[in-house]
Amino acid sequence: MNLTTKFQNIYGRTERTIYHFFSPGRINLIGEHIDYNGGYVLPGAINLGIYGAMSPRNDERIHLKSIDFSSELEVDLNKTIEYKSEDGWGNYAKGVIKFLLEDGYSLKGCNILIKGDLPHGAGLSSSAALEVLIGYMLLFLIQKPEEIDKKYLALLGQRVENKFIGVNSGIMDQFTVANAKKDHALLLNTQNLLYEHIPCYLNGYSLVIMNTNKRRELATSNYNQRRQECENALETIKKEKKENINNLCVCTLDDLKYIKNEIEYKRAKHVITENQRVIKAAELLKINDLKGFGELLVQSHNSLKYDYQVTGFELDTIVEEALKTPGCIGARMTGAGFGGCAIALVENNNVESFIKIVSKNYHEKTKLKPEFYVTTLENGVRQL
Ligand code: GLA
């Protein structure tokens, strides 16, 4: 049954003006744990995401339902909106509505139904996809699509994450979901939010997402701890160098000599070297040097494993197995880490056997069944 029929079954057969939208998940090609350190990241939107159907209502209420989850939500635009844990996924929508109203947008009532094919909690940014989708749909009712400010939409999503949900994430995920372009990676300067679309045609190769299916336990607390360690490292360099420095990504490897604490040293080393890898990776993509690009993916994974320490047994195993398998020219974890997904660059002819071999070897070592999604790089949020 398609989304329109389901929408009519739920909201009534008389619903004729139904608009359809899609908001993608994202992978980060390279530039991990950099977006809260003021450096460059190189993510892209994928072909999995969340679909949304919407019809206008004549009152000031927003009704939200999901095909994937049982909880549903009704928001009265004239009442105070508060976070309630029992509202589950609906809190992301509530946060978006609350901040749009706070920013002075005169939102209109509507019925919304969503359905996703993005695995949840796998580190492919299902929450960013949802925030940006809801924001886009609500603005669509009061603005022309070409007038919707995608940068605002990304910042709105991050605000929901930081101030309503309570996750201290950076801007990369929401920015990608809002602004990505088909067959391109997005080179984003997280200091000033200037960006460039870098062509990424991957001639002869495929991007394979490898889901470890390892739950991302304690991901939020570990994530916040890494942020704090980076702040500490920056403070140390500033104090020792007696200079005012904006963020870790403007520091050089030479500045590491100011750090005596081993943890701070490792974190800063990852951040500084990863930022350099992103710049190099974008240059290599521009000249279509995929082998060189693949090598940078491996270096990035090792830096995240040894210096940033956010990989863990499952991510390391799946990347190791991928790199041993014929046709693979690079692999690394993607997203926050601590479980979730990795990506691999695999020769087209080998993709099928690659999936079989890695699946078998990974299962033998971890007893977990992985999942694989061959993805293309896609446009950001859009009306269908
Ligand atoms: C999560 C966060 C992002 C970013 C990545 C790590 O996905 O939401 O802002 O920090 O982790 O690169």
Side-chain angles (χ1 to χ4, degrees):
M1 202 188 296
N2 65 27
L3 202 57
T4 304
T5 316
K6 286 196 172 144
F7 191 94
Q8 288 173 326
N9 286 351
I10 291 172
Y11 289 115
R13 298 240 157 247
T14 49
E15 293 288 345
R16 289 191 199 284
T17 318
I18 304 173
Y19 301 104
H20 289 267
F21 304 86
F22 179 72
S23 183
R26 68 98 190 87
I27 48 173
N28 187 14
L29 294 175
I30 193 162
E32 219 63 88
H33 289 277
I34 290 300
D35 65 344
Y36 51 86
N37 284 303
Y40 286 94
V41 292
L42 193 65
I46 59 175
N47 56 4
L48 303 171
I50 307 178
Y51 294 83
M54 175 187 72
S55 70
R57 291 173 61 93
N58 295 324
D59 58 10
E60 303 211 301
R61 300 179 75 83
I62 295 176
H63 288 205
L64 273 139
K65 293 191 167 99
S66 156
I67 291 181
D68 311 312
F69 299 102
S70 56
S71 64
E72 53 185 64
L73 193 71
E74 284 187 25
V75 180
D76 185 332
L77 292 173
N78 299 306
K79 291 205 175 131
T80 316
I81 298 170
E82 278 167 1
Y83 180 94
K84 282 194 196 135
S85 57
E86 65 268 27
D87 285 336
W89 66 273
N91 281 306
Y92 293 96
K94 281 166 73 172
V96 171
I97 298 168
K98 183 182 167 75
F99 292 142
L100 281 171
L101 291 172
E102 267 182 26
D103 288 352
Y105 289 97
S106 309
L107 298 182
K108 292 190 175 153
C110 57
N111 293 326
I112 291 177
L113 179 65
I114 62 164
K115 176 186 168 26
D117 55 12
L118 201 55
H120 295 278
L124 299 177
S125 288
S126 51
S127 60
L130 181 58
E131 290 148 6
V132 171
L133 175 71
I134 301 291
Y136 190 84
M137 290 198 286
L138 297 180
L139 288 175
F140 177 88
L141 279 180
I142 54 173
Q143 293 182 336
K144 294 201 182 89
E146 61 277 14
E147 280 169 4
I148 298 177
D149 180 346
K150 303 274 182 63
K151 183 171 151 189
Y152 169 74
L153 210 51
L155 289 166
L156 175 74
Q158 187 197 19
R159 198 158 128 215
V160 171
E161 204 73 58
N162 296 172
K163 303 255 153 65
F164 199 74
I165 305 294
V167 178
N168 211 5
S169 59
I171 186 65
M172 173 174 75
D173 304 344
Q174 291 81 3
F175 206 92
T176 313
V177 171
N179 293 289
K181 183 170 166 187
K182 189 169 174 53
D183 294 324
H184 288 71
L186 191 149
L187 179 65
L188 173 67
N189 178 337
T190 60
Q191 179 64 19
N192 54 19
L193 298 189
L194 294 176
Y195 66 96
E196 190 187 339
H197 291 295
I198 309 284
C200 185
Y201 289 102
L202 303 179
N203 298 339
Y205 288 86
S206 299
L207 265 173
V208 181
I209 301 173
M210 311 185 286
N211 185 352
T212 60
N213 271 326
K214 149 91 174 136
R215 285 179 51 128
R216 294 167 59 230
E217 281 145 16
L218 296 178
T220 305
S221 56
N222 283 327
Y223 183 91
N224 290 343
Q225 191 191 348
R226 291 299 178 281
R227 284 196 73 148
Q228 189 58 53
E229 289 161 355
C230 288
E231 277 165 33
N232 297 346
L234 179 62
E235 276 315 305
T236 306
I237 297 178
K238 273 161 77 171
K239 212 164 91 201
E240 296 295 317
K241 229 182 153 182
K242 300 188 179 51
E243 261 182 42
N244 195 17
I245 306 164
N246 262 349
N247 60 62
L248 262 190
C249 283
V250 296
C251 296
T252 61
L253 283 176
D254 186 53
D255 292 331
L256 291 176
K257 66 176 181 246
Y258 297 115
I259 307 179
K260 301 286 171 283
N261 177 296
E262 196 194 334
I263 294 284
E264 282 178 32
Y265 183 96
K266 283 181 167 184
R267 306 305 187 242
K269 181 170 162 234
H270 164 74
V271 169
I272 295 166
T273 57
E274 182 77 349
N275 194 43
Q276 293 170 347
R277 280 186 288 273
V278 178
I279 296 165
K280 183 99 212 295
E283 281 166 13
L284 293 181
L285 271 189
K286 281 183 186 165
I287 56 167
N288 222 353
D289 180 351
L290 292 181
K291 291 242 162 77
F293 182 75
E295 279 162 27
L296 289 175
L297 299 188
V298 180
Q299 287 174 21
S300 167
H301 184 86
N302 286 334
S303 179
L304 288 154
K305 175 176 174 183
Y306 296 112
D307 287 333
Y308 218 67
Q309 297 177 298
V310 291
T311 54
F313 177 62
E314 293 78 6
L315 278 169
D316 288 336
T317 305
I318 212 156
V319 165
E320 223 169 84
E321 291 307 324
L323 292 173
K324 276 198 244 160
T325 306
C328 178
I329 58 164
R332 62 178 287 275
M333 58 153 271
T334 192
F338 315 107
C341 289
I343 52 169
L345 203 49
V346 184
E347 233 173 319
N348 284 345
N349 297 337
N350 286 297
V351 169
E352 223 174 286
S353 59
F354 171 87
I355 291 176
K356 269 197 202 126
I357 296 170
V358 177
S359 187
K360 179 170 168 287
N361 293 347
Y362 174 78
H363 181 249
E364 264 168 29
K365 297 204 163 142
T366 64
K367 303 287 167 261
L368 292 172
K369 262 192 140 1
E371 279 168 303
F372 296 82
Y373 326 102
V374 180
T375 191
T376 41
L377 294 179
E378 296 297 330
N379 286 322
V381 66
R382 55 196 181 268
Q383 186 189 6
L384 296 177

